[in-house]
C-alpha cells in the first residue's frame, strides 16, 4: 500500500479527492489547516494528533454493505488503542471514546459512479499527544491525556495502518458498545427523544425502544447523546 506522509495539508480527505488516485493509498498529515468532521463541522487538527485518510477502491460493491466500511475503521481504531493499553468504547456510529471522552472521529466519504459505490475515503482523526482548550476540554481527550505519557506517533500510525488492512464484523463493532440497555437521547434538530438503546442492526441503524415501540434510526437522521 502506498503511504504519503505530509507535514501540513488542508484536509487529508480533500487531498485524496483532488488527486484522483487509481490505486488505494493512505495519506497522513502532521497537522491539518481545514480538518473536517461529520455534519459539516470542522475538526481541530493541531500537531500531535494522527490525521489519516485511506482511499478504498470498490469493484461490484454491494451498497447494503456500506456500514462495513465504518465497522472496519472503528474496530481498527479500537484495536489500535487496546494495543497501547486503553479500553476504547464506540459511540455510534463513528466516534471512539476513552474515559467517556472522544479520542477519535471518522469521516467516511463515498463516491458513486453510475449508481454504484466506486470509492470511499476513510478519514480518521486520532488524538495521540494533542491537548485541548475551551469547550473541547470537557468532551475530547487524547492518548497522552488518558495515559499520562506521550506516545510515539509513528508507532501508533504503524499499528493503525496494519489494523486498517483487516476486516471486521458487526459483532466485533458491538463488542465496543457498553451503552446497550441504557437510556440515551436521540437529537434531530431541535427535537429530543429519550429512548433505551437496544442494538445496532447489520445495516448500521441504531435500534431503540421508545414508548413501547422499536425504532431503527439511521445516523443521517439523528445524533446520539449518551446520558
Ligand atoms: C468527526 O469526529 O466528526 C469526524 C472527524 C474526522 C477527522 C479526520 S482527520 C483525517 C481526515 N481529514 C479530515 O478533514 N477529516 C478526517
Amino acid at each position: 500500500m502506498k503511504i504519503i506522509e505530509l507535514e501540513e495539508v488542508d484536509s487529508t480527505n480533500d487531498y485524496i479527492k483532488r488527486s484522483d488516485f487509481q490505486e488505494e493509498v493512505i495519506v497522513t498529515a502532521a497537522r491539518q489547516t481545514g480538518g473536517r468532521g461529520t455534519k459539516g463541522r470542522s475538526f481541530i487538527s493541531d500537531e500531535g494528533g494522527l490525521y489519516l485518510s485511506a482511499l478504498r477502491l470498490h469493484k461490484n460493491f454491494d451498497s447494503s454493505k456500506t456500514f462495513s466500511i465504518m465497522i472496519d475503521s472503528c474496530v481498527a481504531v479500537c484495536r489500535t488503542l487496546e494495543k497501547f493499553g486503553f479500553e476504547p468504547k464506540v459511540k455510534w456510529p463513528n466516534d471512539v471514546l476513552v474515559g467517556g471522552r472522544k479520542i477519535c472521529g471518522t469521516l467516511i466519504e463515498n463516491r458513486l459512479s453510475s449508481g454504484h459505490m466506486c470509492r470511499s475515503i476513510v478519514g480518521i482523526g486520532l488524538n495521540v499527544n494533542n491537548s485541548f482548550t475551551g469547550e473541547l476540554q470537557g468532551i475530547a481527550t487524547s492518548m497522552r491525556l488518558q495515559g499520562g505519557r506521550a506516545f510515539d506517533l509513528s508507532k501508533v500510525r504503524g499499528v493503525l495502518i496494519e489494523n486498517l488492512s483487516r476486516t471486521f464484523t458487526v459483532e466485533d463493532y458491538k463488542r465496543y458498545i457498553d451503552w446497550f440497555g441504557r437510556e440515551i437521547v436521540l437529537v434531530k434538530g431541535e427535537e429530543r427523544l429519550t429512548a433505551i438503546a437496544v442494538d445496532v442492526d447489520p445495516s448500521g441503524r441504531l435500534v431503540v425502544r421508545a414508548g413501547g415501540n422499536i425504532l431503527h434510526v439511521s445516523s443521517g437522521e439523528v445524533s446520539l447523546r449518551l446520558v
Side-chain angles (χ1 to χ4, degrees):
M1 170 85 67
K2 182 171 170 181
I3 299 173
I4 299 170
E5 293 181 29
L6 306 171
E7 257 318 291
E8 183 177 289
V9 70
D10 50 355
S11 149
T12 51
N13 271 35
D14 292 342
Y15 180 90
I16 290 185
K17 267 191 205 166
R18 287 192 295 268
S19 306
D20 198 34
F21 291 110
Q22 298 303 313
E23 58 178 332
E24 296 202 329
V25 293
I26 285 181
V27 176
T28 69
R31 55 189 177 275
Q32 298 183 117
T33 52
R36 292 187 295 108
T38 54
K39 304 197 170 166
R41 290 189 274 253
S42 59
F43 187 80
I44 307 283
S45 307
D46 296 336
E47 193 102 25
L50 174 49
Y51 312 108
L52 177 153
S53 297
L55 173 65
R56 304 278 189 224
L57 302 177
H58 311 297
K59 276 203 188 90
N60 308 319
F61 190 85
D62 176 354
S63 58
S64 69
K65 300 230 161 23
T66 305
F67 188 57
S68 66
I69 302 169
M70 182 74 81
I71 290 173
D72 290 347
S73 57
C74 280
V75 177
V77 168
C78 288
R79 295 281 166 101
T80 302
L81 286 163
E82 283 177 330
K83 174 103 183 169
F84 289 93
F86 297 99
E87 263 187 61
K89 301 292 174 202
V90 164
K91 175 173 171 277
W92 176 86
N94 62 315
D95 288 346
V96 176
L97 313 183
V98 170
R101 292 178 182 195
K102 177 164 167 171
I103 200 162
C104 180
T106 309
L107 173 67
I108 298 175
E109 299 182 286
N110 298 317
R111 197 199 302 165
L112 298 172
S113 164
S114 326
H116 293 283
M117 204 153 100
C118 60
R119 46 174 64 205
S120 305
I121 302 171
V122 180
I124 296 172
L126 174 61
N127 300 323
V128 180
N129 293 323
N130 41 335
S131 47
F132 309 92
T133 53
E135 61 179 26
L136 274 183
Q137 266 180 326
I139 52 176
T141 193
S142 67
M143 291 172 66
R144 184 174 62 77
L145 289 171
Q146 290 292 317
R149 68 175 178 93
F151 289 81
D152 182 334
L153 198 52
S154 68
K155 238 186 228 165
V156 179
R157 180 171 42 221
V159 175
L160 178 61
I161 289 173
E162 172 69 31
N163 283 328
L164 282 170
S165 68
R166 304 172 60 192
T167 56
F168 299 98
T169 65
V170 71
E171 295 306 321
D172 294 323
Y173 174 90
K174 289 197 287 190
R175 254 175 237 130
Y176 294 103
I177 291 180
D178 65 349
W179 38 268
F180 286 148
R182 272 179 29 199
E183 195 171 277
I184 50 115
V185 177
L186 298 177
V187 180
K188 183 178 182 180
E190 296 303 304
E191 288 174 51
R192 303 282 180 272
L193 176 69
T194 300
I196 301 294
V198 175
D199 200 1
V200 172
D201 74 18
S203 68
R205 288 176 307 172
L206 179 64
V207 185
V208 300
R209 198 172 60 241
N213 297 315
I214 292 288
L215 310 173
H216 292 242
V217 293
S218 79
S219 57
E221 296 171 68
V222 297
S223 302
L224 167 65
R225 190 164 295 167
L226 299 176
V227 287

